[in-house]
Amino acid sequence: MKKRGLGSVFSPKVVEELSSIHVLTTKWVDGERLSDSDAEDVPRLCGVALNAYLTMLLDNAKNYEAENKIEEYEAENKI
């Protein structure tokens, strides 16, 4: 996220022993809901959150598409 200018955005640590293929468990992160906040920078933080969400969505879509192309190539060429 830093290379996209979103260095203040982070994800909590994953708790591997409590996670599975269907459940992702992470550490708790203290904070305040933007919808409950009266801070002056809420509109800016909403923009950061939206930008981070779209960055993750689009980057993951690109990675997924690339992985599928590699798998197709390998299957076609019997690699």
Side-chain angles (χ1 to χ4, degrees):
M1 296 299 260
K2 286 182 182 180
K3 68 181 180 182
R4 302 276 189 188
L6 297 168
S8 62
V9 176
F10 69 95
S11 15
K13 300 282 183 205
V14 173
V15 182
E16 297 285 344
E17 60 273 12
L18 299 176
S19 298
S20 71
I21 194 165
H22 298 288
V23 176
L24 176 64
T25 306
T26 63
K27 298 260 184 185
W28 183 260
V29 177
D30 287 321
E32 178 181 15
R33 285 180 143 322
L34 291 178
S35 59
D36 297 338
S37 178
D38 58 358
E40 293 179 11
D41 62 348
V42 168
R44 183 187 66 77
L45 293 174
C46 287
V48 169
L50 180 60
N51 193 352
Y53 174 76
L54 290 173
T55 297
M56 289 184 288
L57 176 71
L58 296 174
D59 281 353
N60 286 333
K62 282 185 216 173
N63 291 338
Y64 179 77
E65 184 178 322
E67 287 174 12
N68 282 343
K69 287 182 180 179
I70 291 170
E71 288 174 5
E72 288 173 12
Y73 176 82
E74 289 174 344
E76 289 172 3
N77 294 290
K78 297 181 174 119
I79 295 175

